[in-house]
Amino acid sequence: MAERRVFTLSQVAQHKSNKDCWLVINGRVLDVTKFLEEHPGGEEVILEVAGKDATKEFDVIGHSKAAQNMVLKYQVGVLQGATVQEVKDVVDKESDTKEMSAFVIKESARSKSLVFYEFFVPLLVAALYFGYRCLTY
């Protein structure tokens, strides 16, 4: 993005419908209207945080690297007063190709316990949920 458009949170808040949906992630203002139908978690999840700073919700979910990279595709500007990390080329170790990354994740800094919490805990929670639903249905 050659020129950075700067938006206030009140400007972002004017875009909170399924026909015009904006949100903020890590200081980046995103127009995710076209992504609503494609979102794996359903559009309702995004509409709950539409017009707001959704950084906390985005980070808590533990989105994949691919999902984190998609942030750039929908970026329309930055939030006023926010410090936004510049985009850097990152080499994907699995495919050995360069890709743009909105978030630089240092693999060496990630501990095995973090991988456990990012993968196995959500898997366990999902298994418990579906097990409970099967037993009570």
Side-chain angles (χ1 to χ4, degrees):
M1 181 175 3
E3 178 186 333
R4 279 195 169 178
R5 293 180 58 196
V6 179
F7 298 96
T8 64
L9 201 50
S10 62
Q11 288 174 309
V12 174
Q14 296 172 10
H15 305 271
K16 56 183 177 183
S17 72
N18 62 348
K19 304 279 187 233
D20 182 26
C21 184
W22 289 19
L23 50 85
V24 177
I25 296 177
N26 292 321
R28 298 178 189 276
V29 177
L30 313 177
D31 179 352
V32 293
T33 310
K34 293 178 182 177
F35 180 65
L36 289 174
E37 291 181 15
E38 300 171 20
H39 187 253
E43 69 180 41
E44 300 82 18
V45 176
I46 295 177
L47 289 172
E48 286 180 16
V49 293
K52 302 175 187 173
D53 186 335
T55 303
K56 181 178 175 184
E57 290 83 356
F58 185 83
D59 290 344
V60 166
I61 296 300
H63 283 88
S64 68
K65 190 172 182 178
Q68 293 171 2
N69 290 337
M70 288 181 72
V71 168
L72 289 180
K73 179 178 179 181
Y74 298 102
Q75 183 175 352
V76 293
V78 295
L79 187 64
Q80 184 177 29
T83 303
V84 179
Q85 184 178 5
E86 289 300 316
V87 177
K88 298 180 181 181
D89 285 338
V90 176
V91 177
D92 184 359
K93 292 179 182 177
E94 293 175 9
S95 64
D96 239 8
T97 60
K98 282 191 172 185
E99 59 186 32
M100 297 302 289
S101 175
F103 309 93
V104 179
I105 300 173
K106 297 180 180 176
E107 293 296 326
S108 61
R110 296 178 76 175
S111 67
K112 290 182 181 182
S113 63
L114 182 59
V115 172
F116 173 80
Y117 287 112
E118 286 181 349
F119 180 73
F120 290 110
V121 170
L123 186 64
L124 177 63
V125 170
L128 290 172
Y129 171 76
F130 287 114
Y132 172 78
R133 293 289 292 173
C134 288
L135 292 173
T136 58
Y137 194 51

